[in-house]
Amino acid sequence: MFGLFSRNTQEPLELEGTATIHAPAALIFSLVDFSNPANRLAARGFQFTETAAKLGRFAATDPNLPDVRFEFEVDLCDNAKTYGFFSKILADPPFGGFDRNREEYHIEALDDRHCRVTLKTKNWYRQGMKGHQRRNEETLMTQAVAQDLMKLKVEAEALVKARAA
């Protein structure tokens, strides 16, 4: 009988991952801060429709997904320490199993060249999802958090190497 009843559908899925990155905290912050020209989404070709500010709302599109729009609301920005935002993916038909998401990057400097990054996410399910769909989305989102941290680590450490060369 275990596992027959899924969690309350009103509860968001909360995940957390941590990585130690061989890069300064300020570099990590510049990669996640949407207002920074070095932002990792901008480096991947995302087009921001408004100039991103330290705090506030703005939208972006990915050239690889032209019919999908991403909306962001940055509400937490503590330079080189913490960056948090809500996001929503707008597409017709809806894209993914979540209605909206919350991400927070907590960056802890270990020394001048290393830091620990903790990514905390909160993900609200779309209405009407069945238990097996929710479990599948939980698996996908768990993988996405781990992959996002790994990409951040690879991107940051590659920049450190390039600057040292």
Side-chain angles (χ1 to χ4, degrees):
M1 291 207 16
F2 295 107
L4 292 178
F5 304 100
S6 66
R7 279 186 273 175
N8 177 347
T9 58
Q10 300 305 310
E11 291 181 27
L13 172 65
E14 295 185 53
L15 299 168
E16 183 175 309
T18 301
T20 299
I21 302 177
H22 302 289
L27 175 62
I28 300 300
F29 193 83
S30 70
L31 292 173
V32 299
D33 177 5
F34 297 128
S35 69
N36 193 304
N39 175 268
R40 60 201 289 235
L41 291 181
R44 291 183 202 153
F46 274 64
Q47 300 294 312
F48 290 91
T49 55
E50 297 131 25
T51 301
K54 288 284 184 192
L55 300 172
R57 294 180 184 203
F58 50 95
T61 55
D62 178 352
N64 297 317
L65 300 167
D67 296 331
V68 177
R69 195 172 119 203
F70 299 85
E71 288 187 349
F72 303 99
E73 183 177 350
V74 177
D75 63 347
L76 183 58
C77 183
D78 185 2
N79 196 26
K81 293 181 183 168
T82 310
Y83 194 77
F85 57 93
F86 287 92
S87 64
K88 196 168 192 150
I89 300 172
L90 303 174
D92 190 25
F95 183 86
F98 298 100
D99 182 49
R100 64 188 170 112
N101 306 66
R102 167 90 182 149
E103 294 184 36
E104 285 184 14
Y105 291 87
H106 297 269
I107 306 164
E108 175 189 357
L110 301 175
D111 59 32
D112 291 346
R113 297 180 297 162
H114 301 85
C115 64
R116 181 175 299 118
V117 179
T118 300
L119 172 57
K120 297 179 180 184
T121 67
K122 192 179 272 193
N123 310 278
W124 287 267
Y125 292 98
R126 294 194 186 283
Q127 292 291 342
M129 289 190 67
K130 300 196 182 320
H132 70 281
Q133 293 170 311
R134 288 170 53 89
R135 286 187 295 278
N136 185 51
E137 291 298 328
E138 285 177 18
T139 300
L140 293 172
M141 186 54 73
T142 300
Q143 292 170 348
V145 168
Q147 288 173 348
D148 187 53
L149 280 170
M150 185 53 63
K151 283 181 189 175
L152 180 60
K153 179 178 175 67
V154 168
E155 292 164 346
E157 292 177 359
L159 284 171
V160 167
K161 259 187 181 176
R163 289 177 181 174

